[in-house]
Amino acid sequence: MTALRQAVAQVSPAALPAFTRELDQAADEARLGSDLGPLRRFSRQWAIYVHIHRQPHLAARFRELEDRAQRGNAAQARAAAVELGRILDEAQAALSENTRS
């Protein structure tokens, strides 16, 4: 988790409090359930976050789409959600490819 924390600190220092809070929650869930699933999900989620935020143009587009999904009309929100999903899917695929290599 140290390398992931360092990556978050590098790409988005303002996200560190959320990272720490969510890590604590995932660790508690893992302990209570005797299951590493919550920590795996946490790591994957934040690895995707770092992947997106390492690319400033992609991070800016992601933030713009999040804003449109929250503030736009229904059609704009749906279109933004579709594009957000595409970006997340591509980030997930890129990370999966990197772990296979």
Side-chain angles (χ1 to χ4, degrees):
M1 293 297 167
T2 301
L4 188 54
R5 180 186 305 275
Q6 290 171 344
V8 171
Q10 182 181 19
V11 299
S12 183
L16 280 174
F19 176 92
T20 302
R21 183 176 57 254
E22 291 177 23
L23 174 57
D24 290 346
Q25 182 179 357
D28 288 347
E29 290 174 15
R31 271 191 298 277
L32 289 173
S34 298
D35 176 24
L36 293 177
L39 287 170
R40 286 187 189 113
R41 284 187 295 278
F42 167 84
S43 295
R44 195 69 173 164
Q45 172 190 332
W46 280 95
I48 288 170
Y49 179 91
V50 168
H51 178 82
I52 291 169
H53 285 80
R54 281 190 169 148
Q55 303 169 69
H57 68 282
L58 186 57
R61 180 67 178 149
F62 197 84
R63 285 188 297 273
E64 175 187 322
L65 290 166
E66 286 179 318
D67 186 58
R68 189 178 304 161
Q70 290 178 350
R71 301 182 201 289
N73 63 38
Q76 291 170 328
R78 277 191 300 277
V82 167
E83 192 170 347
L84 284 165
R86 182 188 55 75
I87 291 169
L88 291 168
D89 287 346
E90 289 174 1
Q92 173 99 12
L95 290 171
S96 294
E97 182 65 30
N98 286 343
T99 58
R100 278 185 251 142
S101 300

